[in-house]
Each structure stands twice: as C-alpha cells, then as structure tokens.
Amino acid sequence: MTVRSAVLRLGDDVELRGVIYRLTALDGDVAMLAVAGEAPVAIKVGSLLADETFRIVGTRPTLRRITGPSMLFDSLPTDVQEKARWMEGHMTEVLDGVPCNAAPGQTAKRTFDVARTSLRQREQAKLAELHELGETMSIGSLQRLRHAYEKKGVLGLVDRRLIRQTPLAGRTDQRVVDAILSVLEANTHQSSGTTDRLMRQVGKQLEAVYGPDIVPLPSRATFHRLIGKLAEGRHATGSARTRRTLAQQPEGPFGAVYPVRPGELMQIDSTALDIAVELDDGVIGRVELTAMVDIATRSIPAAVVRPTTKAVDAALLLARCLTPELMRPGWAQAASMAASALPYRSMKSIDERLAGAAAKPVIVPETIVCDHGKAYLSNTFKSACRSQGISLQPAHPDTPTDKPVIERTLQSIGTLFAQYVTGYLGSSVERRGKNAEHQAVFSLPEIQDLLDEWIVTGWQNRPHDGLRDPFTPSRVLTPNEKYAALLAVSGYVPVPFGAEDYLELMPAETRVINSYGVKIRHRVYDTAELNPFRGQKSGMKALNGMWEVRYDPYDACCVWIRNHHDGGWITAYWRHLSASPQPFGDDIWEYGRQIVAGRGTTSPSEDEIRTAVDNILDKASPPAEPRKRQRKDQRAAARNTAAVTAQRPRPHLDQQQPEHAPAPKPDPAAEPPEEQEVDAAKLAKIIPLKIYDPHKEAETWW
C-alpha cells in the first residue's frame, strides 16, 4: 500500500494518469512536470492535487547532515570517526530512505522507502539489519541515536564520554569557586603575592561568610590547580602593573575609529626612554620621550627627548609637527623628501619651506587625544591647540585603550630604536645588563639627533602592519606611502605654518614697557623699536593696558612683543646677552633665581641671578677631578644643555636685528639641485640605521 506524503517538494517523483513525472519547478500556483524525452508539462497545483490518478511515488531525500567538518569531530581518533560515519549512513537511510554515502542514482530499498513505509517500520528494519551485522542495540538506543543525529549531526553519534565538556572547576564546591573569584577580583589593585596567600584569603572569607569548618578548602595541590584555571590571564601572582592594565579593559568588543585623512585624529603621550644618557659632562641619567602619532598614516611628525616633560615641551612639540624637518649634515640622501615616496614636487609648489626637507610629512592636527598628564591639561598646551583650531580630547581615566596607537608606538620605538643604542637599560630591572648605565656615551642632543634621523629613515619607510590595504591584505604600506595616497584621495593640503603662527604656540605673559625695556623672569629685554611705546599703555582693556609678550623657554636670548597699535611683533633682545659667558634657557635661569632667593634675599637682582647661573654651569662643566654634584643641579644643567644645543631656528619676522643681536646661524640644509630630484622608484632603497660604535661615534660626533 502506498503511503501518501503530506508535503510535495521539488524533485519528488509523481504519477499522473499513468505517467511518472518529476516536479522540477513551482511558479506561483503552476507546477512544472518533466519526463525524460518529452517536453515539460505545466499544470496548476490545484488541478494536480484534485486529479484521482495523482500520487507521490518518490520523495527527495531530506539532508540532515552537518554540511561542514567539525573541528571537535576532526580531533577524535580515526577509528571513532570511521565508526561515526558508518553509523551516519544507517541513520540517514532510516530518515531519508537512502544512505548519505550512497552512489548517485541509487534508489531506496523497499524496506526503507519513505513513500511505502513508516518511520517505525524503517527503525525496526534497521535494527534487524544491524543485528545481522553484529551491532547489538535496543530499539530505544537506536531512537536515541536518531534524535542525537537530528540535533547535532554526526557528532551526536560519537560516544559522549569522548566529547564530554567538564566544568572549569571540576567537582569543587561552588561556594569555594565563588570565594576564589571574589578574592581574585579584590587582588587586582594589591601587591603581587604567592598562591598560598590567596589560599589563606579564600579560607578567611569562607569562614566569615559560612562559619568555621562549614565549607572545607581543597588540598593545597588542588587549590593551586584551581588558581591556574580560574586566574588564567589575570596575572594573579605576576606583574601588578599588567594585572591592573588587564582589569581596565572595557567590557564587550572594542570600538574603533578609522580616520580618512592625515591629521584627522592624532594621539600624544610621554614615556621614560630606556637609554642612559650623559645629561651633562659625565652625569648619567634617564630621559623622557614625548611623541605624537597620526592615526591615519601612522607617521610620527614630532618626537622630542627631554630630561623631564613640561607643558611647554608639549606646545613646542605641536610646533615641530607643523614645521618641516630640515636635512642635517651627515644624513643620507635617501632620507631627503626628494628621494622618498612623498609627492615632493607638488608639495614643494605649495610650501617652499620643503626645499631641502627630510622625508617626514608636515601634518596639521585636527583632533589630539591625550591622557590626564599635567603637561597636556595645562593652559599652555590648551592655548596652543586653541590658537590652531585643534580639538583636544582627554582620554577616559585609567583607560589606555582610548589611545592604543601611541602606546604601541612608544613601545615600538623602544624595540626598534632604543635597544640598539649604547647605554640601553632594558624595559625592566630584570632585563637590565650589568653596569648598563656606565656604557652611556651619547649626550641628550646626540640622542635627539639620532632619534630624528631614525624616524625619517627607518620609521617613515618601514611597512606598518596597521596600514594594510583592506582590498589587498597582503600588501603593507609605509607611513610615507600612506600619506602620499591619502594626500591625493582626501584632498588634504597642509597650509604653510608662518612665523606668527609659530609665535602663537609660545608661552605668553603680560608686561609693561618701561623706560629700560621689558622685564620677564628678572631679565630685561630691550630694542630701539620700543622707543615709541615706552611708558605707554597697549590700549587693550582685557590686558589692563599691558602688552602681550611671547618667549621661548629654551632660548633666553630674546622675546617677542605684540604691537597692539600697528600690528605685528617686535623682537627684543636680552640686555646681558653679550655679558653672559654661556647661553642658557629659562629652566637654568629660574633655578638660579631660586638659589639666590633661598639665601634670604626677597627680591634678587638680575646680576645676582646671572652670577648664580654661571656657578651652576661651572658645576656642570668638566671638573679637574671628580666631585659629587647635587641631583637638582644635574637636572637643571641637563635641561639647559638640551635647550641651547638643540635649538630650532627662530621665526623670521622681516625686521632688522640690532647690532648686539647674535648673528643667525646658516641653514646647513640647502635645497637639492634639480638633477638630484630623481624619481622615487630609482631611490627606493632606504639605508637602515646602523648599530653605532659608541666610542668611535663619541670621538667623531660633529
């Protein structure tokens, strides 16, 4: 007797008026019936079902197998996989009438034909067949296998003992597990200890919550295994700093921002540089690295090394980001912008300052992300960003994931640059070599020059994994290549940064123009251009009639006074410029003022301060024989050395300097001749930064 199916599917064989057809298509209420050697027949479904001669003679097997391999199944032994596949063929024969591993075109056996037999009849027939093959099981076991296969696929036919998922804590009392997790959570901000300390804390907590001897602790060996499983990735007994950092990760997936033009999003941060440096003659110390990175191109437009980072360092770092890096004597020609992947000719036509520039792009920031350091939240840095229309965005407290790119970039500088420099101290005490600080031979300006050259030559031309092309992931771009690509696509044109814009980034104070000039930090500055304004008010009510004065903390030789009457700036030079035997910056002058004030003088004179400054510089000079120096003196002298040795050119305001003003230094970076501006493809080979011989380099440093 034929069993009529309740469902008509594509591919089913049907009999109509004595002819066997196959249902090949359904178009609305029209069914397409095909038979070999004849044209297909179109008939309405209603008419087909109402015909007395219609019946379904064969149904399309229903695919119930998992379509892809399971990694858990593939990890099982071969004999287990083979038996599961063998049993899968029998289960699919019970369900569909034809085994899944049957040959193409194979028809169902009469005892398993789904059109003629019920599921119960097929199960009994399969049970008898398995008994003949030596596989003994009950009808209930066969049905459980069928249900497991329908739910999990071939993995349901495997012995569950082989794929059983055991709890992470095994059979340990859940109250003990909860106490361990609570102690691990409280251990996040504690000093690192041993597992035995954690075990004692868990025992005390169980006693406080449930009472003494109510919840027994597992054995010491079992507890150590539990900590190994429950505290995996927490660094419960490892680095406390790493443990705190992991606890600060936000829950859920990390968000990401994808800037599409240079300067759209930049990040700034400071870190200790793992290099021992000669802060002054013979004094060894560590320095801080402050850098800014562009997220879109991964370029480092500015990075400075200072003994300590101050607010003015962050502001001047912004100024360096907006001005080109000039080629210096001794740099390879491959480090020039003319020989790089940057569009030198088109950029030079916009900004003539790029003539003779190094291969580091000029990037105008739009948004800068920083942490809550005093240098970045100071009024000096905020004013500098506000003057250039830059949005300053502080990161969330204790959330390093808000600025991950600069964090990783600073680490990369340590691994790609710092570890190759003589005097490398290692990232931690356990990584430090013996007497590593005694190997320092480079001074602070020399380290700054090495870092600048490495950024131009190494970093900007090094393929960066964060600059992969999403459409061709195998291709990795360099920061310069990414900048050149975005320059053409985003329509980004950096506007030349003028001298007045540079002065806007300098610290500002308000002063009165006296008959003797302008006094800042007990230093008197004067020039003949101040003659019409001596004793006069500026007319600015917001400034109480005083004059706005800009000064460079690393260059005490001159200041710039805003001309509120006629516009522009007036450059005034220090009155004792020719009397001071050595140049120095604002830090060394301020420290000298503090020394004199500490002697009981309430208002020290300028001459007294200048004398104290000379004494400090004498202490920092090479002694005839070794002597001990105060740490504060060393730091002040070191900042002064960094200031006066690595000064950048002062902004040119198109005015004549007085006779006592120092002559400007010639620019060592001359514009390359036209014949040297060859195609970038011919100069694609970049000379990498060599490993320096410290003693040889110290003798031949220019």
Side-chain angles (χ1 to χ4, degrees):
M1 179 178 178
T2 302
V3 179
R4 292 180 64 94
S5 176
V7 179
L8 180 64
R9 302 183 181 92
L10 293 179
D12 289 350
D13 293 332
V14 298
E15 182 179 352
L16 181 64
R17 300 173 184 176
V19 181
I20 304 299
Y21 295 94
R22 174 160 293 181
L23 181 62
T24 58
L26 286 173
D27 185 7
D29 61 344
V30 178
M32 302 297 297
L33 303 178
V35 64
E38 296 183 9
V41 177
I43 184 174
K44 287 186 176 294
V45 176
S47 301
L48 178 65
L49 299 178
D51 196 302
E52 292 291 337
T53 62
F54 167 76
R55 67 188 182 95
I56 301 176
V57 297
T59 60
R60 177 180 58 87
T62 303
L63 295 179
R64 304 176 189 271
R65 296 179 293 121
I66 295 179
T67 56
S70 170
M71 294 186 63
L72 180 59
F73 181 79
D74 294 339
S75 64
L76 296 174
T78 305
D79 56 338
V80 176
Q81 295 184 35
E82 291 177 353
K83 184 175 181 180
R85 291 297 187 188
W86 176 77
M87 185 59 69
E88 182 185 21
H90 292 289
M91 290 297 106
T92 53
E93 190 173 18
V94 171
L95 294 171
D96 304 328
V98 180
C100 62
N101 51 6
Q106 180 177 340
T107 59
K109 299 178 182 178
R110 184 176 183 84
T111 54
F112 297 104
D113 192 347
V114 295
R116 295 179 172 85
T117 59
S118 64
L119 179 61
R120 179 71 174 183
Q121 292 172 336
R122 295 194 298 273
E123 288 177 346
Q124 291 177 345
K126 180 56 66 177
L127 186 64
E129 182 181 336
L130 291 176
H131 284 172
E132 294 178 0
L133 296 175
E135 190 72 25
T136 303
M137 66 174 61
S138 63
I139 187 66
S141 299
L142 180 64
Q143 290 176 343
R144 283 193 295 270
L145 286 177
R146 178 177 60 80
H147 286 300
Y149 178 73
E150 289 180 318
K151 184 178 181 180
K152 299 181 180 179
V154 68
L155 203 59
L157 304 177
V158 179
D159 190 342
R160 286 182 294 179
R161 292 173 295 181
L162 299 176
I163 58 176
R164 181 175 52 191
Q165 183 177 3
T166 59
L168 187 63
R171 298 181 179 179
T172 306
D173 193 331
Q174 186 61 36
R175 293 173 293 182
V176 177
V177 175
D178 294 339
I180 292 177
L181 296 176
S182 177
V183 170
L184 290 176
E185 185 69 24
N187 185 56
T188 300
H189 299 285
Q190 296 178 358
S191 300
S192 298
T194 62
T195 307
D196 290 338
R197 189 187 77 172
L198 297 176
M199 185 175 181
R200 184 175 184 275
Q201 292 174 348
V202 171
K204 292 293 182 180
Q205 182 167 333
L206 290 175
E207 289 183 5
V209 176
Y210 303 103
D213 301 329
I214 300 298
V215 182
L217 272 175
S219 65
R220 185 174 182 272
T222 302
F223 187 87
H224 277 249
R225 288 195 295 269
L226 280 175
I227 290 296
K229 295 179 180 179
L230 298 177
E232 186 176 2
R234 291 174 177 257
H235 287 259
T237 58
S239 171
R241 184 179 63 179
T242 304
R243 185 166 61 250
R244 291 191 299 270
T245 301
L246 293 175
Q248 293 169 359
Q249 292 181 351
E251 298 180 357
F254 292 175
V257 179
Y258 300 99
V260 296
R261 58 183 178 274
E264 182 178 356
L265 181 63
M266 304 184 73
Q267 297 175 3
I268 186 173
D269 199 5
S270 301
T271 187
L273 193 62
D274 301 324
I275 300 177
V277 179
E278 289 192 29
L279 297 180
D280 57 6
D281 299 325
V283 178
I284 306 300
R286 298 185 66 175
V287 292
E288 290 187 1
L289 169 66
T290 303
M292 188 181 299
V293 62
D294 176 49
I295 307 302
T297 65
R298 295 300 197 272
S299 298
I300 303 179
V304 295
V305 179
R306 290 288 182 264
T308 53
T309 302
K310 293 187 175 182
V312 66
D313 296 323
L316 295 183
L317 185 74
L318 183 60
R320 294 193 64 176
C321 178
L322 298 170
T323 54
E325 185 74 42
L326 299 180
M327 289 288 291
R328 303 178 191 176
W331 285 15
Q333 182 61 27
S336 65
M337 186 176 292
S340 68
L342 298 173
Y344 171 69
R345 290 182 176 85
S346 60
M347 295 171 61
K348 179 185 173 184
S349 62
I350 300 174
D351 191 352
E352 290 294 337
R353 301 172 305 162
L354 298 179
K360 187 172 68 174
V362 177
I363 299 179
V364 180
E366 298 180 20
T367 301
I368 298 179
V369 179
C370 64
D371 56 20
H372 289 257
K374 294 182 179 179
Y376 309 123
L377 299 183
S378 63
N379 291 331
T380 301
F381 188 62
K382 288 182 178 179
S383 300
C385 293
R386 192 179 304 112
S387 65
Q388 300 302 318
I390 300 172
S391 174
L392 186 63
Q393 180 179 339
H396 295 86
D398 297 329
T399 310
T401 52
D402 280 358
K403 49 183 185 61
V405 177
I406 184 61
E407 299 280 356
R408 189 63 183 90
T409 300
L410 294 177
Q411 294 180 13
S412 299
I413 293 177
T415 56
L416 299 176
F417 169 74
Q419 68 170 336
Y420 297 103
V421 179
T422 302
Y424 175 63
L425 301 176
S427 57
S428 58
V429 178
E430 59 267 20
R431 295 176 177 269
R432 185 169 302 171
K434 184 178 181 181
N435 299 326
E437 63 276 2
H438 295 164
Q439 301 177 6
V441 296
F442 292 118
S443 64
L444 191 64
E446 292 171 342
I447 289 294
Q448 180 68 60
D449 189 75
L450 287 175
L451 178 63
D452 292 339
E453 184 178 5
W454 175 80
I455 291 176
V456 173
T457 307
W459 179 270
Q460 292 297 128
N461 296 283
R462 179 178 179 269
H464 197 289
D465 192 65
L467 300 178
R468 290 186 180 273
D469 191 338
F471 298 103
T472 55
S474 60
R475 182 186 180 189
V476 185
L477 302 179
T478 67
N480 279 349
E481 291 174 345
K482 187 68 173 182
Y483 180 87
L486 293 182
L487 199 67
V489 175
S490 63
Y492 173 83
V493 178
V495 180
F497 192 60
E500 294 189 1
D501 297 327
Y502 192 90
L503 292 180
E504 293 290 346
L505 300 179
M506 299 294 175
E509 292 189 9
T510 56
R511 287 293 185 269
V512 175
I513 300 179
N514 298 297
S515 58
Y516 53 82
V518 175
K519 180 183 289 187
I520 290 184
R521 306 289 180 89
H522 301 276
R523 298 188 297 268
V524 175
Y525 296 87
D526 197 7
T527 181
E529 294 186 25
L530 295 179
N531 292 340
F533 311 111
R534 300 183 190 275
Q536 303 293 324
K537 292 185 178 294
S538 64
M540 303 298 296
K541 186 177 181 180
L543 302 179
N544 295 326
M546 292 191 289
W547 300 76
E548 178 184 348
V549 181
R550 300 275 177 170
Y551 65 96
D552 188 347
Y554 300 121
D555 188 359
C557 298
C558 63
V559 297
W560 296 271
I561 305 165
R562 187 187 294 274
N563 190 340
H564 296 286
H565 293 175
D566 303 327
W569 295 85
I570 300 174
T571 304
Y573 292 87
W574 184 31
R575 189 175 61 183
H576 288 269
L577 185 61
S578 59
S580 179
Q582 304 181 55
F584 47 85
D586 185 70
D587 291 284
I588 199 80
W589 176 270
E590 180 65 20
Y591 185 46
R593 189 194 63 80
Q594 295 176 6
I595 292 178
V596 177
R599 297 174 185 163
T601 306
T602 57
S603 180
S605 66
E606 185 177 355
D607 294 333
E608 290 174 330
I609 295 176
R610 182 170 57 84
T611 302
V613 169
D614 293 338
N615 292 335
I616 296 176
L617 295 176
D618 291 338
K619 290 182 181 181
S621 300
E625 50 187 52
R627 60 178 182 269
K628 295 182 65 176
R629 281 175 280 186
Q630 296 182 0
R631 187 66 175 174
K632 197 172 183 180
D633 293 348
Q634 299 169 2
R635 284 289 179 182
R639 289 191 63 84
N640 178 71
T641 303
V644 302
T645 311
Q647 289 178 0
R648 297 175 67 84
R650 301 191 189 107
H652 182 59
L653 298 175
D654 297 329
Q655 64 181 17
Q656 186 177 1
Q657 298 180 353
E659 296 180 357
H660 61 276
K665 297 180 180 180
D667 186 2
E671 180 179 353
E674 291 296 328
E675 58 270 17
Q676 295 183 4
E677 297 181 8
V678 297
D679 188 76
K682 299 181 180 179
L683 296 174
K685 183 178 180 181
I686 303 300
I687 301 177
L689 180 65
K690 63 181 181 180
I691 300 178
Y692 288 87
D693 184 351
H695 302 287
K696 181 179 179 181
E697 193 71 13
E699 295 176 357
T700 61
W701 194 266
W702 54 274

